[in-house]
Amino acid sequence: MDTFVPKVLMVEDSAPLQAVFSAYLKNEQINLKISSTGEKALDLINSFKPHIILLDIYLPDMSGLEILKMVFSAKLDIKVIVITGSDSVTDAIDAMHYGAYDFLSKPISAARLKVTLNNTINNLHLNNLVTQYQSQQSDHFVGFIGASKVMQGVYQTIERVAPSKATVFITGESGTGKEVCAEAIHKLSNCKNGKFIPLNCAAIPRELIESEIFGHVKGAFTGAVTSREGAVGLADGGTLFLDEICEMDLSLQSKLLRFLQTGKYYKVGSNQLESVDVRIVCATNRNPMVEVKAGRFREDLFYRLHVIPISLPPLRERGDDIERIAQKFLIEFSNEEKKSFTRFSLRASQLMMSYDWPGNVRQLQNIVRQIVVLNDGTEVTEEMLPESIRSFVNKDYEIPAGIVGSVPRPYDLKQSEMFEIKPLAKIEREAIEKTIRYFQGNIEKASKALEINSSTIYRKMKVWNREDREKNPAM
């Protein structure tokens, strides 16, 4: 790999200082070009494309601040170190306001210049590493789709725990992909060549679940006409995934605990002790500690299973992943159904991003399939979306009177206020409603300014609207 050599543009009108600064930097691993005027500097910015600019503010043909403003306005990826002949606080503030990375006052020693430049170069290296890392983050991870920050954290946890034999306890709402998570752990584990056996504890009658887990011998109960291997035996050398573990009957929980502690078990109706080597992964859409406190789940079993916890976020908290997943399903189902859909319209995407997806990824999958089956075309339009999504924003919340208005002027705001203690929820509501008013009712702009998803604002609005109606039924 070639060594990165940063390109540095020095903009300095004084020939003696050009010579001094060049001498200071002669042993640095940089590609240095020099300009004595602002006009030439602008040409070099376009042609040389520097990574760093050493910029004197006082130039013969223009102010260095004008160059800095141009770099800032054009959003150029350039680190600018501003150099001035004074210690003016105003100059420093102006420079920092327009994105200057650092500020140097003349006279400048060799050590000071080199330290400042090398700190800037190190920051460039760090930014490059971050960019490379982000570019390596795929939208796909062992069955998952999504590149959101919260999911990257889940992926990293899976990668770390997969090689271990430790039991993993997955929590998350229904439809968030708990079985996908369990299978990803299996595929990245040392037992990936063994079988992955999923068992939904909520889908099996209580009288049969022990047999489903441990198996039975012929004649063990009415209908047991042959012996049958249970999930534990089938998963020997692999992974057993016990989904909805909190639905398991208490009497069976004690037997599962014994198996987890010893690795040994009896088939139903047998007195022969069996032994297997199985990785256990379990999951629930309930709060397991609530189940423990309610006496529905054994505390000792919980702590035996809850070695490595993984919490899967609901779809509404995954931001742009909604679009990524929907697009993947759209192409997949279009191919299956021999349809021509390739994309969602901008309005359809906005509505889907604003919806709260109570059924999570499973609901999104079903809705996209429904759209493809019932419609034709190349683009999914707003009209093709289910009514539940189209009406989510318009009918579930009306912006209160007074929220939409003109952008406030500085003199409309009080310069000082006595501090008033308020409930946090009230402060949050005021902040959100003021931001919506500032952007004249544009929820998308308000959500970006607040750095939250627009769906979060809509959900909170629904709650506030309901609370207001409860307080004042006449509304």
Side-chain angles (χ1 to χ4, degrees), residues 54-90:
L54 296 169
L55 178 62
D56 191 357
I57 284 185
Y58 302 106
L59 300 172
D61 56 340
M62 67 174 67
S63 167
L65 284 177
E66 293 302 315
I67 298 175
L68 179 62
K69 290 177 184 179
M70 185 278 296
V71 171
F72 178 80
S73 299
K75 298 181 179 179
L76 301 179
D77 190 16
I78 300 174
K79 303 289 186 186
V80 180
I81 301 171
V82 170
I83 299 174
T84 179
S86 71
D87 288 321
S88 170
V89 174
T90 301

Side-chain angles (χ1 to χ4, degrees), residues 99-163:
Y101 181 75
D102 210 337
F103 186 87
L104 295 174
S105 296
K106 299 175 183 176
I108 304 169
S109 67
R112 181 76 176 96
L113 180 60
K114 287 192 282 189
V115 166
T116 300
L117 182 62
N118 282 319
N119 285 342
T120 308
I121 292 172
N122 288 336
N123 183 267
L124 278 175
H125 281 300
L126 179 60
N127 289 343
N128 286 338
L129 288 174
V130 170
T131 300
Q132 291 173 17
Y133 173 77
Q134 291 176 339
S135 68
Q136 293 168 359
Q137 303 307 304
S138 172
D139 281 357
H140 296 74
F141 177 86
V142 200
F144 281 105
I145 305 166
S148 60
K149 184 176 180 180
V150 66
M151 288 307 296
Q152 294 295 341
V154 171
Y155 303 158
Q156 291 172 19
T157 301
I158 292 173
E159 287 182 320
R160 287 196 295 267
V161 306

Side-chain angles (χ1 to χ4, degrees), residues 26-70:
K26 67 179 180 179
N27 293 324
E28 302 300 312
Q29 296 299 309
I30 61 174
N31 180 1
L32 179 66
K33 287 190 180 295
I34 301 174
S35 170
S36 56
T37 66
E39 183 179 358
K40 184 181 177 183
L42 292 175
D43 289 339
L44 284 171
I45 288 172
N46 291 322
S47 59
F48 180 52
K49 300 186 184 306
H51 299 102
I52 300 170
I53 300 177
L54 296 169
L55 178 62
D56 191 357
I57 284 185
Y58 302 106
L59 300 172
D61 56 340
M62 67 174 67
S63 167
L65 284 177
E66 293 302 315
I67 298 175
L68 179 62
K69 290 177 184 179
M70 185 278 296

